[in-house]
């Protein structure tokens, strides 16, 4: 009894301290309502608003316009001389899936086996990756984490069906905090006819007869066709009878939304021949296709337009695919696609240079792409392509407040992001690159 009284006494004594700590914690919570005033606001749904005001409340845009009144009790940010834009959207990354590409233990972007439709990128995303802070400091507020995308930071060999891409915010303690949409597309690496391979045992290239390469290609396409057909039959079985009427298969179950037309396929293909074959395959199978890569998309632009296939383009500052290609082939391609009426967006395809997404779009402007199209290709177009434009991509009332406040054009290399909001919360711009820059900038000078 004595011990019980002692414990109860300590509980009563410590209770006020606990309530005090809870009260202090509540008072230290960051504000949830903001008003950005006197800014030039680019909503991307109309002309820029001069001397505009944007109000953020409960994580969303509560009001935006030239004559919006500032509500009482909100934190006011005077953005005189600054510009406000939707946060940039990178639609193909390995964000949170790969940390250091040369260290296998930090790479979780691929799975073993050729067919992994049940793999969901969100389940493997690490919210504490250093890449997130570096990327969002450049104005990127949301990305797609794409498994098996074959970028610079990938690890392991690529399969045919890599898994499901996830749309995430670049802020949050857990993946549940970060999720925009768990599954936005099924990733497919379209088979290629490869006549040239690299032998790592001899570090030399080997040539393969075309007939042999084509036979291997056709085998892969037939396997993929069989997989899709099986998934379609499985989806039909799911809609009739009870679970005991068929043996459960998680891989085929994951493909059910694809064959029902509810989930698009993100098909990675670069050569014109492969793109044509992929479009023909998806058209025959009645799959909603999004092309990723598309180095030679300009050669089949009429086909892409007629079939309504949007494209996620590789970085424009990449070497041409073939030695006989013009040096500016990838720089001029976006303008050609825009003129042809093909919807496209720019993607970084890795983590290391995701922070340069805006500049990839800007370089296309220098080669004929209208500026408005370039800005939309890193904001609203990727959101539309992947079905999340009702949440992000423009500055409209009711949308998630993913916003950047800059001192200039967000596509320009020298522009600085002054304020960053993700889900309506002001988010730190601190990152590893900035810390290292300041560290070595302020290092002591050597004595003479």
């Amino acid at each position: 009894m004595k011990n019980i009284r002692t414990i109860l006494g300590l509980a009563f004594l410590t209770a006020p301290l606990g309530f005090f700590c809870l009260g202090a914690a509540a008072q230290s919570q960051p504000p949830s309502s903001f008003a950005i005033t006197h800014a030039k606001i680019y909503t991307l749904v109309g002309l820029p608003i001069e001397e505009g005001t944007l109000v953020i409340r409960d994580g969303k845009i509560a009001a935006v316009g030239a004559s919006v009144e500032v509500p009482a009790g909100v934190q006011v940010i005077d953005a005189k001389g600054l510009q406000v834009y939707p946060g940039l959207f990178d639609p193909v990354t390995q964000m949170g899936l790969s940390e250091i590409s040369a260290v296998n233990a930090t790479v979780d972007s691929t799975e073993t086996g050729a067919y992994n439709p049940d793999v969901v990128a969100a389940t493997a995303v690490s919210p504490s990756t250093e890449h997130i802070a570096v990327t969002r400091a450049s104005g990127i507020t949301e990305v797609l984490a794409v498994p098996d995308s074959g970028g610079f930071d990938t690890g392991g060999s690529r399969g045919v069906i890599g898994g499901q891409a996830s749309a995430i915010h670049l802020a949050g303690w857990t993946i549940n905090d970060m999720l925009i949409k768990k599954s936005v597309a099924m990733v497919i690496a379209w088979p290629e006819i490869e006549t040239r391979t690299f032998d790592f045992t001899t570090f030399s290239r080997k040539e393969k007869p075309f007939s042999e390469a084509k036979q291997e290609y056709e085998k892969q396409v037939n396997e993929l066709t069989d997989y899709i057909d099986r998934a379609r039959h499985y989806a039909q079985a799911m809609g009739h009878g009870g679970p005991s009427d068929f043996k459960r298969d998680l891989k085929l179950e994951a493909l059910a939304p694809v064959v029902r037309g509810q989930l698009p396929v993100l098909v990675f293909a670069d050569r014109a021949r492969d793109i044509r074959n992929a479009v023909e395959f998806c058209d025959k199978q009645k799959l909603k296709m999004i092309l990723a890569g598309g180095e030679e998309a300009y050669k089949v632009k009429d086909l892409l337009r007629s079939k309504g296939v949007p494209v996620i383009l590789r970085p424009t500052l990449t070497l041409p695919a073939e030695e006989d290609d013009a040096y500016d082939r990838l720089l001029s391609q976006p303008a050609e696609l825009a003129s042809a009426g093909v919807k496209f967006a720019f993607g970084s395809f890795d983590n290391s240079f995701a922070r340069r997404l805006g500049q990839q779009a800007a370089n296309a402007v220098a080669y004929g792409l209208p500026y408005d199209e370039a800005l939309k290709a890193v904001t609203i177009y990727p959101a539309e392509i992947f079905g999340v434009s009702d949440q992000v991509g423009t500055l409209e009332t009711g949308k998630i407040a993913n916003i950047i406040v800059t001192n200039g054009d967000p596509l320009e290399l020298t522009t600085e992001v002054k304020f960053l909001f993700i889900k309506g919360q002001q988010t730190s711009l601190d990152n590893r690159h900035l810390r290292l820059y300041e560290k070595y900038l302020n290092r002591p000078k050597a004595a003479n």
Side-chain angles (χ1 to χ4, degrees):
M1 285 294 291
K2 184 178 180 181
N3 289 338
I4 292 175
R5 290 194 190 98
T6 303
I7 293 170
L8 290 174
L10 287 171
F12 280 114
L13 285 170
T14 56
L17 179 61
F19 285 122
F20 172 78
C21 291
L22 287 172
Q27 291 175 4
S28 64
Q29 290 293 318
S32 59
S33 297
F34 299 86
I36 304 170
T37 63
H38 304 113
K40 186 172 184 179
I41 302 175
Y42 291 80
T43 65
L44 300 193
V45 290
L47 296 174
I49 302 170
E50 301 285 350
E51 288 288 314
T53 296
L54 187 147
V55 178
I56 301 170
R57 182 179 288 115
D58 299 327
K60 294 189 176 182
I61 299 172
V64 58
S67 57
V68 172
E69 292 186 9
V70 177
V74 302
Q75 180 174 327
V76 177
I77 297 175
D78 188 348
K80 186 72 173 178
L82 301 179
Q83 301 173 6
V84 179
Y85 296 88
L88 306 189
F89 190 156
D90 191 337
V92 178
T93 75
Q94 294 172 32
M95 201 64 61
L97 304 178
S98 175
E99 192 70 15
I100 304 171
S101 58
V103 180
N104 289 337
T106 70
V107 179
D108 196 12
S109 57
T110 59
E111 294 290 335
T112 57
Y115 295 90
N116 297 291
D118 54 326
V119 170
V120 181
T123 60
V125 167
S126 171
S128 59
T129 172
E130 291 282 359
H131 290 290
I132 286 179
V134 172
T135 302
R136 73 187 179 205
S138 296
I140 299 170
T141 55
E142 61 269 352
V143 304
L144 252 60
V146 181
D148 214 3
S149 57
F152 180 78
D153 298 311
T154 194
S157 58
R158 298 184 68 183
V160 179
I161 301 181
Q164 302 169 43
S166 302
I168 60 174
H169 300 286
L170 290 189
W173 288 100
T174 67
I175 186 58
N176 289 333
D177 295 335
M178 301 169 68
L179 268 184
I180 299 175
K181 192 174 182 180
K182 189 175 182 179
S183 180
V184 295
M186 185 69 71
V187 177
I188 295 178
W190 187 256
E192 298 179 358
I193 300 177
E194 287 288 350
T195 59
R196 181 180 296 178
T197 59
F198 189 82
D199 188 348
F200 283 95
T201 59
T202 61
F203 281 90
S204 60
R205 294 189 180 277
K206 288 187 174 181
E207 293 292 336
K208 184 186 298 184
F210 179 81
S211 58
E212 183 180 336
K214 187 179 180 184
Q215 188 176 12
E216 291 179 1
Y217 164 80
E218 291 174 345
K219 179 183 177 182
Q220 288 181 298
V221 173
N222 289 336
E223 287 176 351
L224 178 59
T225 302
D226 179 63
Y227 221 94
I228 297 297
D229 288 342
R230 287 165 55 201
R232 184 168 285 108
H233 295 151
Y234 187 91
Q236 292 172 351
M238 288 175 65
H240 299 83
S244 61
D245 295 336
F246 59 92
K247 184 178 179 181
R248 190 177 185 191
D249 187 314
L250 294 179
K251 291 180 184 260
L252 297 180
E253 190 172 307
L255 282 169
V258 173
V259 297
R260 289 171 179 161
Q262 300 163 343
L263 187 69
V265 288
L266 181 62
V267 181
F268 283 75
D270 284 307
R271 300 292 177 269
R273 175 178 59 195
D274 297 328
I275 296 171
R276 287 193 196 96
N277 291 339
V279 171
E280 180 183 354
F281 175 86
C282 290
D283 191 43
K284 183 178 180 180
Q285 294 289 342
K286 295 181 172 55
L287 307 180
K288 294 181 180 179
M289 177 178 166
I290 302 168
L291 174 63
E295 289 185 0
E296 293 183 349
Y298 66 95
K299 292 183 178 180
V300 291
K301 57 191 177 188
D302 293 335
L303 174 65
L304 295 173
R305 183 194 64 247
S306 66
K307 297 298 181 181
V309 177
V311 186
I312 310 301
L313 292 173
R314 293 189 183 278
T316 52
L317 292 177
T318 303
L319 290 175
E322 301 294 339
E323 61 183 14
D324 292 331
D325 288 344
Y327 77 93
D328 60 352
R329 182 65 270 172
L330 297 179
L331 290 161
S332 60
Q333 175 171 239
E336 289 186 54
L337 295 181
S339 297
V342 177
K343 179 171 285 188
F344 64 89
F346 294 100
S348 65
F349 284 69
D350 59 25
N351 299 331
S352 299
F353 298 102
R355 66 188 187 279
R356 291 290 165 253
L357 179 69
Q359 287 74 58
Q360 301 290 353
N363 280 290
V365 175
Y367 284 79
L369 180 66
Y371 173 81
D372 288 347
E373 288 295 296
L375 185 57
K376 289 178 180 178
V378 290
T379 51
I380 184 58
Y381 286 167
E384 290 175 345
I385 289 169
F386 289 101
V388 292
S389 59
D390 60 328
Q391 300 182 67
V392 296
T394 59
L395 301 182
E396 297 179 82
T397 302
K399 286 196 174 182
I400 297 172
N402 283 5
I403 298 165
I404 55 174
V405 182
T406 71
N407 63 357
D409 182 353
L411 305 189
E412 288 288 345
L413 184 62
T414 55
T415 294
E416 297 177 72
V417 176
K418 295 297 185 179
F419 299 95
L420 177 79
F421 294 88
I422 297 180
K423 294 173 65 178
Q425 288 296 320
Q426 188 173 348
T427 305
S428 173
L429 294 168
D430 185 37
N431 62 85
R432 184 174 178 83
H433 287 191
L434 179 61
R435 292 193 297 273
L436 289 175
Y437 168 77
E438 292 175 344
K439 174 181 176 179
Y440 290 103
L441 180 67
N442 298 311
R443 66 179 179 177
K445 293 182 179 180
N448 293 330

